[in-house]
Amino acid sequence: ATLGASYGIYGPAYELMDNTPLEYGREEYFDSEKYEIKQWDTDRPDSLREIVTLVNRARHENPALQSNKRLVFHPTGNDQLIAYSKTTADETNTILTVVNLDPHHTQSGWVDLPLEDLGIEPNQPFQVHDLIGGARYLWNGPANFVELNPHAIPAHIFRVRHRVRTEHDFDYFI
């Protein structure tokens, strides 16, 4: 949902993971709402509604996710992780997405970022804010560690803050 500038989700069937095929090898689904009126229980505990809402909010609030012009893939040191960033032309909005490709196991690795290409000073800390989980991390340097448990959340969508104030930025720092 963050890799392409435009995407769509096919309603409750997707959110509720309704994917029983009509026949093996066909895209049509058994009991498809295309052929009948269905009542969906979108409040089910296994619904993806909450995460779809968060991803849609991230896409709406971040212009970098609305274009494919500055898309860059980054090495992770683990072939079960994929990392890529999207940045606006004026470098005011940068999104870094890291995804666990393994649906069964926790995966971790070091994401290697070309800081200067992302508008980040190499010797300065920068903050990444996870738009899905809400956590904020202070990162230093080009290599930073991530760990993703697919049973909790399989991806991070980080908004990158290029300039972060630290205690060294204040006059009273001793």
Side-chain angles (χ1 to χ4, degrees):
T2 59
L3 190 55
S6 62
Y7 88 113
I9 292 178
Y10 185 57
Y14 180 83
E15 290 177 22
L16 298 172
M17 297 168 283
D18 184 18
N19 61 2
T20 306
L22 183 62
E23 288 180 26
Y24 181 76
R26 290 185 57 187
E27 289 186 23
E28 294 290 328
Y29 294 108
F30 190 74
D31 290 334
S32 173
E33 71 281 357
K34 190 165 34 172
Y35 304 111
E36 61 185 69
I37 297 173
K38 291 188 101 163
Q39 297 296 319
W40 297 99
D41 180 8
T42 57
D43 292 326
R44 284 182 7 200
D46 63 340
S47 173
L48 297 175
R49 183 177 61 177
E50 184 177 322
I51 188 134
V52 169
T53 299
L54 292 170
V55 170
N56 284 339
R57 181 178 299 133
R59 289 178 52 79
H60 177 74
E61 294 175 354
N62 292 281
L65 294 176
Q66 300 165 18
S67 171
N68 291 328
K69 292 184 180 172
R70 296 199 58 196
L71 167 67
V72 178
F73 288 88
H74 307 290
T76 63
N78 179 341
D79 63 356
Q80 292 298 310
L81 294 175
I82 186 171
Y84 54 90
S85 62
K86 295 179 95 174
T87 305
T88 55
D90 62 2
E91 295 182 348
T92 59
N93 186 238
T94 299
I95 299 294
L96 169 66
T97 303
V98 184
V99 180
N100 181 350
L101 301 174
D102 181 349
H104 305 290
H105 302 98
T106 298
Q107 297 290 334
S108 61
W110 293 88
V111 177
D112 194 14
L113 300 173
L115 298 181
E116 291 176 5
D117 293 349
L118 295 174
I120 299 168
E121 294 182 40
N123 58 349
Q124 294 292 319
F126 59 100
Q127 184 188 81
V128 293
H129 175 206
D130 185 357
L131 302 176
I132 301 298
R136 296 173 191 265
Y137 304 97
L138 193 60
W139 284 4
N140 283 292
N144 291 277
F145 184 78
V146 295
E147 181 176 272
L148 289 164
N149 177 348
H151 305 293
I153 190 75
H156 289 301
I157 301 174
F158 293 121
R159 181 173 35 228
V160 178
R161 288 191 53 207
H162 300 108
R163 176 73 176 110
V164 178
R165 298 187 80 180
T166 67
E167 66 272 5
H168 298 283
D169 295 321
F170 297 94
D171 293 334
Y172 60 81
F173 180 76
I174 297 178

